[in-house]
Protein backbone atom coordinates (compact mmCIF):
# COMPACT_ATOMS: atom_id res chain seq x y z
CA UNK A 1 0.00 0.00 0.00
CA UNK A 2 1.16 3.54 -0.70
CA UNK A 3 1.11 6.07 2.10
CA UNK A 4 1.95 9.70 2.69
CA UNK A 5 5.28 10.04 4.50
CA UNK A 6 3.90 12.94 6.53
CA UNK A 7 1.07 10.72 7.74
CA UNK A 8 3.70 8.46 9.35
CA UNK A 9 5.31 11.25 11.36
CA UNK A 10 4.38 10.78 15.01
CA UNK A 11 3.98 7.01 14.78
CA UNK A 12 5.04 5.25 17.96
CA UNK A 13 8.18 3.09 17.90
CA UNK A 14 7.86 0.05 20.12
CA UNK A 15 10.87 -2.11 21.02
CA UNK A 16 10.55 -5.73 22.12
CA UNK A 17 10.06 -4.62 25.71
CA UNK A 18 8.51 -1.18 25.60
CA UNK A 19 7.87 2.06 23.75
CA UNK A 20 10.91 4.21 22.96
CA UNK A 21 9.52 7.28 21.22
CA UNK A 22 7.95 8.65 18.06
CA UNK A 23 9.05 9.04 14.43
CA UNK A 24 10.15 12.59 13.59
CA UNK A 25 11.52 12.09 10.06
CA UNK A 26 13.02 9.59 7.64
CA UNK A 27 16.39 9.36 5.87
CA UNK A 28 16.37 8.11 2.29
CA UNK A 29 19.08 7.14 -0.18
CA UNK A 30 19.04 9.74 -2.96
CA UNK A 31 20.17 7.27 -5.63
CA UNK A 32 17.62 4.54 -5.04
CA UNK A 33 14.99 6.72 -3.30
CA UNK A 34 14.63 4.08 -0.62
CA UNK A 35 14.05 4.88 3.05
CA UNK A 36 17.01 3.63 5.08
CA UNK A 37 16.36 5.00 8.58
CA UNK A 38 13.64 6.22 10.87
CA UNK A 39 14.65 9.11 13.13
CA UNK A 40 13.07 8.64 16.54
CA UNK A 41 12.57 11.28 19.20
CA UNK A 42 12.90 9.48 22.53
CA UNK A 43 11.49 12.25 24.73
CA UNK A 44 12.08 11.90 28.46
CA UNK A 45 13.24 8.30 28.14
CA UNK A 46 16.68 9.27 26.78
CA UNK A 47 16.66 12.97 27.67
CA UNK A 48 15.33 14.12 24.27
CA UNK A 49 18.01 12.16 22.41
CA UNK A 50 17.26 11.23 18.80
CA UNK A 51 18.19 7.76 17.59
CA UNK A 52 18.45 6.19 14.15
CA UNK A 53 16.58 2.95 13.57
CA UNK A 54 17.53 1.07 10.36
CA UNK A 55 14.41 0.20 8.39
CA UNK A 56 15.68 -3.39 8.24
CA UNK A 57 15.13 -3.59 12.02
CA UNK A 58 11.40 -3.05 11.62
CA UNK A 59 9.03 -5.85 12.51
CA UNK A 60 5.27 -5.79 12.16
CA UNK A 61 3.40 -2.51 11.82
CA UNK A 62 0.09 -1.92 13.55
CA UNK A 63 -1.52 0.61 11.24
CA UNK A 64 -4.60 1.00 13.44
CA UNK A 65 -2.61 2.00 16.53
CA UNK A 66 0.01 3.79 14.38
CA UNK A 67 2.86 1.77 15.85
CA UNK A 68 6.06 0.46 14.28
CA UNK A 69 7.41 -2.61 16.04
CA UNK A 70 11.21 -2.97 15.95
CA UNK A 71 13.18 -6.16 16.52
CA UNK A 72 15.43 -4.50 19.09
CA UNK A 73 15.38 -4.18 22.87
CA UNK A 74 15.21 -0.92 24.78
CA UNK A 75 18.66 -1.66 26.18
CA UNK A 76 20.11 -2.11 22.69
CA UNK A 77 18.66 1.21 21.59
CA UNK A 78 19.79 2.96 24.78
CA UNK A 79 23.40 1.88 24.18
CA UNK A 80 23.42 2.43 20.40
CA UNK A 81 26.04 4.75 18.83
CA UNK A 82 25.14 8.41 19.21
CA UNK A 83 24.00 10.17 16.04
CA UNK A 84 24.14 13.87 15.30
CA UNK A 85 21.00 14.09 13.16
CA UNK A 86 21.67 17.72 12.24
CA UNK A 87 24.81 16.64 10.38
CA UNK A 88 25.46 14.25 7.51
CA UNK A 89 25.43 10.65 8.68
CA UNK A 90 28.83 9.28 7.67
CA UNK A 91 29.38 5.86 6.19
CA UNK A 92 31.58 5.02 9.18
CA UNK A 93 28.72 5.82 11.52
CA UNK A 94 26.43 3.58 9.47
CA UNK A 95 28.99 0.77 9.69
CA UNK A 96 29.22 1.23 13.46
CA UNK A 97 25.43 1.21 13.75
CA UNK A 98 24.90 -1.90 11.63
CA UNK A 99 27.75 -3.73 13.35
CA UNK A 100 26.34 -2.82 16.75
CA UNK A 101 22.88 -4.14 15.89
CA UNK A 102 24.23 -7.14 13.97
CA UNK A 103 22.22 -6.26 10.87
CA UNK A 104 23.28 -6.86 7.25
CA UNK A 105 24.28 -3.64 5.49
CA UNK A 106 22.19 -2.37 2.58
CA UNK A 107 25.00 -0.95 0.45
CA UNK A 108 27.07 -2.86 -2.08
CA UNK A 109 29.06 -2.50 -5.27
CA UNK A 110 26.18 -2.22 -7.74
CA UNK A 111 27.32 1.34 -8.36
CA UNK A 112 30.96 2.12 -8.94
CA UNK A 113 31.39 4.22 -5.82
CA UNK A 114 29.87 1.55 -3.59
CA UNK A 115 27.97 4.19 -1.67
CA UNK A 116 24.42 3.35 -2.58
CA UNK A 117 21.88 0.62 -2.03
CA UNK A 118 22.07 -2.84 -3.50
CA UNK A 119 18.72 -2.46 -5.26
CA UNK A 120 19.17 -0.07 -8.20
CA UNK A 121 16.45 2.38 -9.15
CA UNK A 122 15.13 2.43 -12.74
CA UNK A 123 17.73 3.69 -15.28
CA UNK A 124 16.58 7.32 -15.43
CA UNK A 125 17.56 7.84 -11.81
CA UNK A 126 21.20 7.38 -12.83
CA UNK A 127 20.87 10.63 -14.76
CA UNK A 128 20.20 12.62 -11.61
CA UNK A 129 23.05 14.98 -10.98
CA UNK A 130 23.88 17.94 -8.85
CA UNK A 131 25.21 21.26 -10.08
CA UNK A 132 27.16 23.29 -7.56
CA UNK A 133 27.63 20.30 -5.30
CA UNK A 134 29.59 18.46 -7.99
CA UNK A 135 31.95 21.41 -8.27
CA UNK A 136 32.30 22.54 -4.69
CA UNK A 137 31.60 19.50 -2.53
CA UNK A 138 32.92 16.25 -3.93
CA UNK A 139 31.07 13.21 -2.67
CA UNK A 140 33.24 10.91 -0.61
CA UNK A 141 32.76 7.67 1.22
CA UNK A 142 31.83 9.79 4.22
CA UNK A 143 28.66 10.92 2.41
CA UNK A 144 26.40 7.95 1.67
CA UNK A 145 23.75 9.95 -0.18
CA UNK A 146 21.35 10.09 2.74
CA UNK A 147 18.75 12.86 2.73
CA UNK A 148 16.12 13.86 5.26
CA UNK A 149 12.52 13.86 4.06
CA UNK A 150 11.92 16.81 6.36
CA UNK A 151 14.75 18.83 4.81
CA UNK A 152 13.73 18.14 1.20
CA UNK A 153 10.18 19.33 1.82
CA UNK A 154 9.96 22.86 0.49
CA UNK A 155 12.39 22.31 -2.40
CA UNK A 156 11.27 24.18 -5.53
CA UNK A 157 10.22 22.10 -8.54
CA UNK A 158 11.33 23.34 -11.95
CA UNK A 159 9.81 21.95 -15.15
CA UNK A 160 11.39 22.26 -18.60
CA UNK A 161 9.70 25.63 -19.05
CA UNK A 162 9.14 27.12 -15.62
CA UNK A 163 8.57 26.65 -11.91
CA UNK A 164 5.53 24.60 -10.89
CA UNK A 165 5.60 24.53 -7.09
CA UNK A 166 7.42 22.92 -4.18
CA UNK A 167 7.78 19.53 -2.51
CA UNK A 168 5.10 19.11 0.13
CA UNK A 169 5.25 15.40 0.89
CA UNK A 170 6.34 11.99 -0.38
CA UNK A 171 4.43 8.81 -1.17
CA UNK A 172 6.07 5.64 0.13
CA UNK A 173 5.41 1.99 -0.66
CA UNK A 174 4.95 0.49 2.81
CA UNK A 175 6.25 -2.93 1.68
CA UNK A 176 9.42 -2.00 -0.21
CA UNK A 177 9.97 1.33 1.60
CA UNK A 178 10.84 3.14 -1.61
CA UNK A 179 9.60 6.65 -2.32
CA UNK A 180 7.41 6.26 -5.39
CA UNK A 181 6.24 9.87 -5.74
CA UNK A 182 6.93 13.39 -4.58
CA UNK A 183 3.77 15.35 -3.79
CA UNK A 184 4.00 18.83 -5.27
CA UNK A 185 2.01 21.81 -4.05
CA UNK A 186 1.33 24.04 -7.09
CA UNK A 187 -0.61 26.73 -5.22
CA UNK A 188 1.31 29.66 -6.76
CA UNK A 189 0.78 28.30 -10.27
CA UNK A 190 -2.34 26.13 -10.13
CA UNK A 191 -4.22 27.27 -6.99
CA UNK A 192 -5.73 24.44 -4.98
CA UNK A 193 -3.96 21.73 -6.96
CA UNK A 194 -1.43 19.10 -5.96
CA UNK A 195 0.36 16.82 -8.42
CA UNK A 196 2.54 13.73 -8.21
CA UNK A 197 6.03 13.47 -9.68
CA UNK A 198 7.91 10.19 -9.89
CA UNK A 199 11.67 10.19 -9.13
CA UNK A 200 12.03 8.62 -12.59
CA UNK A 201 11.04 11.96 -14.13
CA UNK A 202 13.72 13.94 -12.30
CA UNK A 203 16.68 14.96 -14.45
CA UNK A 204 18.79 16.70 -11.82
CA UNK A 205 18.73 18.06 -8.29
CA UNK A 206 20.63 21.09 -7.04
CA UNK A 207 20.98 20.31 -3.34
CA UNK A 208 22.64 23.66 -2.60
CA UNK A 209 19.91 25.71 -4.28
CA UNK A 210 17.20 23.31 -3.05
CA UNK A 211 15.74 22.82 -6.52
CA UNK A 212 14.45 19.71 -8.27
CA UNK A 213 14.40 19.77 -12.08
CA UNK A 214 11.85 17.48 -13.73
CA UNK A 215 11.87 16.42 -17.36
CA UNK A 216 8.26 17.50 -17.91
CA UNK A 217 6.55 20.54 -19.38
CA UNK A 218 4.15 22.80 -17.53
CA UNK A 219 1.44 21.88 -20.03
CA UNK A 220 1.83 18.15 -19.39
CA UNK A 221 1.69 18.70 -15.64
CA UNK A 222 -1.33 20.98 -15.92
CA UNK A 223 -3.23 18.32 -17.90
CA UNK A 224 -2.15 15.37 -15.74
CA UNK A 225 -4.75 13.16 -14.01
CA UNK A 226 -6.21 14.85 -10.95
CA UNK A 227 -4.59 13.78 -7.68
CA UNK A 228 -6.60 13.82 -4.45
CA UNK A 229 -4.35 13.34 -1.38
CA UNK A 230 -7.37 12.10 0.58
CA UNK A 231 -7.98 9.22 -1.83
CA UNK A 232 -5.90 6.03 -1.90
CA UNK A 233 -3.68 5.75 -4.99
CA UNK A 234 -4.81 2.75 -7.04
CA UNK A 235 -3.02 0.71 -9.70
CA UNK A 236 -5.47 2.15 -12.22
CA UNK A 237 -4.55 5.72 -11.26
CA UNK A 238 -0.82 4.95 -11.53
CA UNK A 239 -1.28 3.44 -14.99
CA UNK A 240 -3.25 6.50 -16.07
CA UNK A 241 -0.61 8.85 -14.66
CA UNK A 242 2.37 7.09 -16.24
CA UNK A 243 0.45 6.67 -19.49
CA UNK A 244 -0.26 10.40 -19.58
CA UNK A 245 3.42 11.33 -19.34
CA UNK A 246 4.75 8.75 -21.81
CA UNK A 247 4.34 11.15 -24.72
CA UNK A 248 5.79 14.14 -22.88
CA UNK A 249 8.97 12.88 -21.28
CA UNK A 250 12.11 13.80 -23.19
CA UNK A 251 14.60 11.07 -22.39
CA UNK A 252 17.94 12.39 -21.22
CA UNK A 253 20.86 11.45 -23.41
Amino acid sequence: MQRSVNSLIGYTISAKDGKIGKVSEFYFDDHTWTIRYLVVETGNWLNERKVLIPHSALGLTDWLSETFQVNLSMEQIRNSPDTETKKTVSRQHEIDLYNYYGLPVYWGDVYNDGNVGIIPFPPMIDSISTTKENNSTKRTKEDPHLRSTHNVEGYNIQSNDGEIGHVEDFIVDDKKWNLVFLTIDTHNWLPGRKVLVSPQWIKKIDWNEEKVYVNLSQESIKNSPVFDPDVQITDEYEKELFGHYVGFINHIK
Side-chain angles (χ1 to χ4, degrees), residues 27-29 32-36 55 119 176-179:
Y27 283 170
F28 68 94
D29 180 328
T32 63
W33 290 76
T34 301
I35 287 179
R36 300 302 185 188
H55 86 287
I119 303 176
K176 299 179 181 178
W177 284 92
N178 60 305
L179 300 175

Side-chain angles (χ1 to χ4, degrees), residues 168-180:
E168 181 182 75
D169 196 357
F170 299 86
I171 304 296
V172 63
D173 181 317
D174 66 15
K175 299 298 183 185
K176 299 179 181 178
W177 284 92
N178 60 305
L179 300 175
V180 291

Side-chain angles (χ1 to χ4, degrees), residues 71-105:
N71 298 317
L72 304 169
S73 69
M74 295 179 73
E75 190 65 17
Q76 281 180 296
I77 295 168
R78 182 196 303 274
N79 296 322
S80 64
D82 284 332
T83 302
E84 177 52 73
T85 55
K86 293 182 180 179
K87 298 180 180 179
T88 299
V89 178
S90 70
R91 174 64 83 214
Q92 185 57 54
H93 183 81
E94 287 195 277
I95 291 172
D96 292 343
L97 194 64
Y98 273 82
N99 284 343
Y100 171 77
Y101 284 129
L103 296 170
V105 300

Side-chain angles (χ1 to χ4, degrees), residues 15-235:
K16 293 178 180 178
D17 49 354
K19 297 178 180 179
I20 66 166
K22 294 184 179 295
V23 177
S24 64
E25 59 185 305
F26 297 87
Y27 283 170
F28 68 94
D29 180 328
D30 69 13
H31 269 196
T32 63
W33 290 76
T34 301
I35 287 179
R36 300 302 185 188
Y37 298 97
L38 292 76
V39 181
V40 182
E41 292 184 345
T42 60
N44 294 332
W45 178 53
L46 292 181
N47 298 317
E48 307 298 330
R49 176 185 163 197
K50 290 186 178 182
V51 296
L52 283 185
I53 301 294
H55 86 287
S56 55
L58 290 178
L60 297 176
T61 299
D62 186 334
W63 299 109
L64 290 179
S65 67
E66 300 187 349
T67 300
F68 289 121
Q69 304 284 342
V70 295
N71 298 317
L72 304 169
S73 69
M74 295 179 73
E75 190 65 17
Q76 281 180 296
I77 295 168
R78 182 196 303 274
N79 296 322
S80 64
D82 284 332
T83 302
E84 177 52 73
T85 55
K86 293 182 180 179
K87 298 180 180 179
T88 299
V89 178
S90 70
R91 174 64 83 214
Q92 185 57 54
H93 183 81
E94 287 195 277
I95 291 172
D96 292 343
L97 194 64
Y98 273 82
N99 284 343
Y100 171 77
Y101 284 129
L103 296 170
V105 300
Y106 66 83
W107 55 88
D109 59 0
V110 170
Y111 294 92
N112 291 334
D113 63 6
N115 280 342
V116 295
I118 60 175
I119 303 176
F121 206 78
M124 187 171 283
I125 207 69
D126 289 342
S127 298
I128 290 181
S129 63
T130 57
T131 52
K132 290 185 179 180
E133 189 172 43
N134 280 341
N135 296 324
S136 63
T137 310
K138 291 290 185 180
R139 296 270 193 174
T140 70
K141 292 186 183 298
E142 293 303 306
D143 184 352
H145 303 278
L146 292 178
R147 305 286 176 180
S148 159
T149 53
H150 174 73
N151 290 344
V152 176
E153 288 177 13
Y155 274 33
N156 290 327
I157 305 294
Q158 188 81 20
S159 71
N160 288 333
D161 50 359
E163 187 174 324
I164 65 168
H166 65 270
V167 178
E168 181 182 75
D169 196 357
F170 299 86
I171 304 296
V172 63
D173 181 317
D174 66 15
K175 299 298 183 185
K176 299 179 181 178
W177 284 92
N178 60 305
L179 300 175
V180 291
F181 293 110
L182 292 77
T183 303
I184 312 304
D185 185 341
T186 64
H187 72 276
N188 290 331
W189 175 51
L190 296 175
R193 180 97 182 265
K194 300 183 193 301
V195 298
L196 295 181
V197 168
S198 167
Q200 298 179 57
W201 305 331
I202 296 173
K203 58 183 178 182
K204 66 178 180 179
I205 300 175
D206 187 327
W207 300 106
N208 289 344
E209 296 294 333
E210 300 186 351
K211 286 187 177 181
V212 179
Y213 295 82
V214 296
N215 202 26
L216 304 169
S217 68
Q218 287 186 326
E219 187 67 17
S220 66
I221 295 167
K222 182 178 181 180
N223 295 323
S224 64
V226 174
F227 167 63
D228 184 345
D230 295 323
V231 176
Q232 175 61 39
I233 297 173
T234 63
D235 290 342

